[in-house]
Amino acid sequence: MAGNPVKWVSLILASSLFFDLVLAADTHIAKKTYIVQMDKSAMPKSFTNHLEWYSSKVKSVLFNPEKEGDAGDDDRIIYSYQTAIHGVAALLSEEEAERLEDEHGVVAIFPDTTYQLHTTRSPAFLGLEPEDSTSVWSQKVLDHDVVVGVLDTGIWPESESFNDTGMTPVPAHWKGKCETGRGFEKHHCNRKIVGARVFYHGYEAATGKINEQTEYKSPRDQDGHGTHTAATVAGSPVRGANLQGYAYGTARGMAPGARIAVYKVCWSGGCFSSDILSAVDRAVDDGVNVLSISLGGGVSPYYRDSLSIAAFGAMEMGVFISSSAGNGGPDPVSLTNVSPWITTVGASTMDRDFPATVKLGNGRTLIGVSLYREQRIRRSINKQYPMVYMGSNSSSPDPSSLCLEGTLDRRLVAGKIVICDRGISPRVQKGQVVKDAGGVGMVLSNTASNGEELVADCHLLPAVAVGETEGKALKNYVLTSPKATANLAFLDTRLGIRPSPVVAAFSSRGPNFLSLEILKPDVVAPGVNILAAWTGDTGPSSLPTDRRRVKFNLLSGTSMSCPHVSGVAALLKARHPEWSPAVIKSALMTTAYVHDNTGNPLRDSSTAAPSNPYDHGAGHINPIKALDPGLVYEIKAQDYFEFLCTQSLTPAQLKFFSNRSCQHSLANPGDLNYPSISAVFPEKASITTLTLHRTVTNVGPPVSNYHVVVSPFKGASVQVKPQTLHFTRKYQKISYKITFTTVSRQTVPEFGGLVWKDGVHRVRSPIVITWLPPL
């Protein structure tokens, strides 16, 4: 953490300022949405049900309720929460919210906040065999139906990925419904899509009524994001899937036998916490086993994070929650969704690419990527076009070099290939700007923040993306050669790319500044150039000017990696229905790998250097190994609550999560039985020894013997006791302790690992040792 203290301190201060701004009331707005969390157990006996009591509380603080007109107290409540969280979402003025906060039985009041979306080959890359193979993953699991709830932009039900042929009837325990609206009828639900609901009251309260002529006020997906994530989780196999010929093959979700329940919480103007909470609450009550949430809204203290609180409630009910880490990388401390009861997923590449070339007039050929496809380019395949770069040098972008709207002079770019620097505006939109200005093609150049990471896009004109190094060489050529020319060529799909996987540059990074003792992200999974189903309402570039329509699209983001983990979690739940959310997470983390297909440590795409646990967490998921992890780290709901008891929360703030009591069973936050290990030495240099505790549960053969291997560290010696674990029965628990003794305090964190081995299983935990700088 001490490696870049200025940046981290400024990020933390900026985050604190953001949270203060969010909590400040906008005095000129009469009412806005507040989430009112209630203590369910405090309801007086005079009320017959909780909603009646909640309504009474809201009504008691209203100013002049008799003058409310058509916005009476009954209309003030837009949602009631009954399962994962208890309370209501209500329209209140700032003064009314303040009065309500002082009422007996009110636990907390949060203002509504906005969340954003974190925007084929992957099953094979992850080792999941085709459905007709003899793999354990392909066996029909008829007695343990798993339902995955997807909180997103809805679904395009006509996609072949949601075909229910051969699926058994919807399980009897399922309580979800198929809500209807424009473009979505009852028949659009089937044995694959078992539920579809919409949540928009919070969104409308903040932005006004949804225009139903331009947006579907129904589960139908206009954006495409929700269709893509749902298909990645549990899409049925579709042979011949492709995007304009690219990535041709069979598209298949991680858990093709699982059911999908759609909870549409995101609209054209964003996703609001009151809607998200209602969706989580309803999904848990409906009976989902897994929740896939590919969105985030920044980081706030646990007790101020309404999604974290709702997720705690869902976890108590046995629901596994997978969330995207965010696309704020490669900056440090850029993670979202960091609560330990949420599985936080970063993004990595696969061994598939879409190469394209830029052949320069001086004979040099640069390698990049593209998903552009149009026949007319082939008629001029060898023709050289003049090139232009509107920037003044090869290193520092400016508005013209970024190809922002209105910055290109048609007289200078018409008929030419334009070099555009990446940043500020969407990549595909830069191509549209070039096209509008008369350009014939574009080369999209990475800058320092993106490094050598290449993300392919379905551009509207011939375009190739190149890395920072190639981009600098290209810009230097154009700036020093008055008659610079180039030709763009597109080489289709290539497999077997080495090295892979690589941690995506955009994938958000740790450390988790809320709790350094909880290492985040938890794992990484495929999130770059992922092929999955797409909406029929939007072109593959998502630009309004894109009139193309496709059945499948290639997208990148931690939004894409999250449903990979959600789907694998569904498979694990199907094979091991007795496993808790913590056990599923443990199996995913302790079996993850940290070496690529060349046998070298995983790399960071932004630097080409080895990545570390702040980048990749425990490593890249390995579904086959996760099926049989050998040992697991179980965490009960009370254990998570004990962790909160170490976080300097007041008794009132702890009540946001549960009515449980602190037993003070954890000596420090690092003693939470987490699958990763983070040792944090305090500022006092006199403290040179730190001991952490863990307990493993045997889920492998009844009789098993494990020995431990720990990587060496420069700044500390590490001792594990006992060094061997002897199990005599399944589900037996054995505890061990890890003692860290400082040898030489380091100014930057050190990374390593601890592995328990029995000759078959390798149960690995990443280790991070941090020495906080002296005060």
Side-chain angles (χ1 to χ4, degrees):
M1 184 172 175
N4 194 351
V6 174
K7 176 174 279 189
W8 287 342
V9 169
S10 63
L11 281 169
I12 293 169
L13 289 174
S15 298
S16 298
L17 177 59
F18 169 76
F19 302 139
D20 290 342
L21 290 173
V22 167
L23 294 174
D26 188 348
T27 56
H28 72 272
I29 297 177
K31 305 181 195 70
K32 63 180 181 180
T33 304
Y34 287 88
I35 296 159
V36 183
Q37 188 178 358
M38 301 292 292
D39 179 358
K40 182 182 178 182
S41 64
M43 184 181 78
K45 293 181 179 180
S46 57
F47 292 95
T48 57
N49 61 67
H50 285 90
L51 182 57
E52 180 187 354
W53 177 47
Y54 302 157
S55 299
S56 172
K57 283 293 183 185
V58 171
K59 186 176 181 180
S60 70
V61 301
L62 300 185
F63 288 100
N64 299 320
E66 71 279 1
K67 297 181 180 180
E68 291 292 325
D70 58 1
D73 58 275
D74 290 337
D75 293 334
R76 293 291 198 99
I77 294 178
I78 61 175
Y79 287 117
S80 65
Y81 307 125
Q82 304 284 351
T83 307
I85 188 173
H86 300 283
V88 295
L91 292 169
L92 302 169
S93 68
E94 180 184 8
E95 294 79 10
E96 290 168 344
E98 289 175 352
R99 291 176 64 184
L100 185 58
E101 198 163 21
D102 295 331
E103 287 287 314
H104 173 69
V106 176
V107 175
I109 294 183
F110 309 95
D112 213 357
T113 53
T114 307
Y115 287 67
Q116 298 297 333
L117 298 166
H118 288 149
T119 287
T120 150
R121 171 69 181 159
S122 46
F125 182 69
L126 292 174
L128 303 179
E129 300 297 326
E131 193 171 16
D132 56 359
S133 77
T134 57
S135 162
V136 292
W137 295 97
S138 64
Q139 295 175 9
K140 298 293 185 182
V141 184
L142 302 180
D143 53 340
H144 298 295
D145 263 311
V146 176
V147 181
V148 181
V150 181
L151 274 65
D152 216 295
T153 64
I155 197 165
W156 192 261
E158 290 83 4
S159 171
E160 296 172 76
S161 293
F162 309 122
N163 188 313
D164 66 350
T165 301
M167 297 194 75
T168 57
V170 177
H173 71 267
W174 176 246
K175 298 192 295 182
K177 292 184 178 180
C178 187
E179 297 179 357
T180 61
R182 186 169 78 89
F184 204 94
E185 303 297 335
K186 291 285 187 184
H187 71 268
H188 286 124
C189 288
N190 55 19
R191 295 179 178 184
K192 167 62 71 176
I193 305 172
V194 297
R197 296 183 185 270
V198 294
F199 302 84
Y200 52 78
H201 295 308
Y203 177 77
E204 287 193 333
T207 66
K209 293 291 185 181
I210 293 171
N211 185 342
E212 297 190 50
Q213 300 306 310
T214 59
E215 190 166 7
Y216 293 109
K217 198 173 178 178
S218 75
R220 182 169 290 279
D221 179 19
Q222 191 164 346
D223 179 271
H225 191 277
T227 298
H228 197 281
T229 56
T232 302
V233 170
S236 301
V238 181
R239 292 181 173 83
N242 67 93
L243 171 60
Q244 299 191 128
Y246 287 106
Y248 187 92
T250 298
R252 174 178 176 269
M254 298 297 98
R259 322 284 183 159
I260 297 168
V262 178
Y263 299 88
K264 184 174 179 177
V265 297
C266 294
W267 307 86
S268 59
C271 329
F272 282 73
S273 56
S274 57
D275 298 326
I276 295 168
L277 289 188
S278 186
V280 171
D281 191 65
R282 187 60 61 89
V284 173
D285 188 60
D286 285 345
V288 301
N289 305 104
V290 175
L291 275 174
S292 189
I293 307 177
S294 287
L295 47 86
V299 178
S300 54
Y302 297 116
Y303 69 93
R304 299 303 302 175
D305 184 343
S306 54
L307 179 56
S308 173
I309 294 168
F312 189 97
M315 172 274 299
E316 285 187 297
M317 302 292 287
V319 178
F320 177 92
I321 302 127
S322 173
S323 292
S324 46
N327 298 337
D331 289 340
V333 199
S334 51
L335 293 164
T336 66
N337 302 316
V338 297
S339 298
W341 44 90
I342 293 175
T343 300
T344 311
V345 188
S348 57
T349 66
M350 294 191 297
D351 64 343
R352 178 180 67 192
D353 214 346
F354 308 98
T357 62
V358 183
K359 187 173 182 179
L360 306 182
N362 63 7
R364 181 175 178 179
T365 299
L366 309 180
I367 304 297
V369 297
S370 182
L371 294 172
Y372 176 78
R373 174 80 72 195
E374 192 168 322
Q375 292 301 316
R376 66 181 176 86
I377 195 67
R378 301 190 182 281
R379 295 199 294 269
S380 55
I381 195 166
N382 295 313
K383 181 177 178 179
Q384 291 280 314
Y385 292 89
M387 296 199 78
V388 63
Y389 176 59
M390 305 305 293
S392 57
N393 63 72
S394 61
S395 300
S396 302
D398 58 42
S400 293
S401 74
L402 289 166
C403 300
L404 304 179
E405 294 260 11
T407 62
L408 297 184
D409 188 336
R410 187 178 186 88
R411 294 169 297 178
L412 297 178
V413 306
K416 298 177 183 178
I417 295 174
V418 182
I419 303 170
C420 297
D421 285 316
R422 188 171 165 184
I424 306 297
S425 62
R427 300 181 300 270
V428 290
Q429 190 177 71
K430 296 176 187 290
Q432 181 67 56
V433 172
V434 170
K435 186 177 181 181
D436 291 343
V440 297
M442 177 181 70
V443 178
L444 184 65
S445 173
N446 278 4
T447 58
S449 63
N450 312 114
E452 302 307 314
E453 176 183 68
L454 296 178
V455 179
D457 293 299
C458 196
H459 291 281
L460 286 165
L461 83 170
V464 177
V466 297
E468 182 190 15
T469 302
E470 300 276 53
K472 283 185 176 180
L474 175 61
K475 287 180 277 190
N476 184 64
Y477 164 65
V478 172
L479 291 172
T480 59
S481 303
K483 295 186 178 181
T485 61
N487 171 265
L488 309 182
F490 307 93
L491 307 181
D492 213 359
T493 306
R494 299 284 171 85
L495 302 178
I497 300 298
R498 297 161 69 89
S500 65
V502 173
V503 178
F506 61 75
S507 186
S508 289
R509 313 303 169 96
N512 166 17
F513 81 83
L514 277 189
S515 306
L516 285 173
E517 296 84 357
I518 303 299
L519 179 61
K520 291 283 183 169
D522 292 309
V523 291
V524 293
V528 178
N529 299 329
I530 304 302
L531 183 75
W534 190 243
T535 176
D537 248 24
T538 304
S541 70
S542 293
L543 294 175
T545 54
D546 191 351
R547 302 303 176 194
R548 298 171 297 179
R549 293 294 179 265
V550 296
K551 293 182 177 181
F552 294 86
N553 202 3
L554 284 150
L555 298 184
S556 297
T558 53
S559 276
M560 283 63 253
S561 53
C562 169
H564 278 84
V565 169
S566 306
V568 174
L571 286 173
L572 292 173
K573 187 67 175 177
R575 297 299 297 162
H576 299 284
E578 74 281 5
W579 280 10
S580 69
V583 168
I584 292 173
K585 175 192 279 193
S586 175
L588 289 167
M589 291 177 67
T590 62
T591 59
Y593 58 85
V594 292
H595 290 82
D596 60 32
N597 58 2
T598 69
N600 293 309
L602 294 177
R603 298 187 192 181
D604 180 349
S605 182
S606 68
T607 62
S611 58
N612 63 57
Y614 287 164
D615 308 322
H616 60 238
H620 191 284
I621 61 168
N622 188 338
I624 297 299
K625 293 287 187 182
L627 177 70
D628 179 22
L631 305 176
V632 294
Y633 293 86
E634 174 66 288
I635 307 176
K636 302 291 188 182
Q638 181 65 32
D639 300 322
Y640 284 123
F641 189 79
E642 293 295 330
F643 163 79
L644 289 170
C645 296
T646 69
Q647 296 300 291
S648 302
L649 273 64
T650 66
Q653 290 164 352
L654 287 169
K655 208 168 186 179
F656 294 4
F657 296 88
S658 175
N659 281 323
R660 299 170 184 270
S661 299
C662 292
Q663 304 300 316
H664 304 292
S665 59
L666 301 183
N668 70 67
D671 272 340
L672 180 67
N673 201 39
Y674 215 67
S676 56
I677 298 167
S678 180
V680 181
F681 281 91
E683 295 86 348
K684 292 183 179 179
S686 59
I687 300 178
T688 59
T689 300
L690 179 66
T691 299
L692 299 179
H693 303 81
R694 291 292 186 270
T695 299
V696 287
T697 303
N698 179 29
V699 294
V703 178
S704 302
N705 298 302
Y706 287 84
H707 69 278
V708 73
V709 177
V710 183
S711 58
F713 292 86
K714 185 194 305 182
S717 64
V718 183
Q719 186 176 41
V720 180
K721 288 185 177 181
Q723 294 189 321
T724 58
L725 304 176
H726 303 288
F727 293 93
T728 58
R729 65 185 185 277
K730 195 171 184 179
Y731 304 125
Q732 182 181 355
K733 297 178 183 294
I734 298 181
S735 297
Y736 67 92
K737 64 181 181 179
I738 320 106
T739 300
F740 300 87
T741 303
T742 297
V743 175
S744 172
R745 288 181 74 96
Q746 303 295 298
T747 57
V748 294
E750 278 201 89
F751 306 102
L754 175 153
V755 184
W756 289 103
K757 300 180 178 181
D758 70 345
V760 176
H761 304 94
R762 296 182 77 258
V763 186
R764 183 182 184 278
S765 293
I767 295 178
V768 178
I769 307 178
T770 305
W771 290 266
L772 296 180
L775 293 174

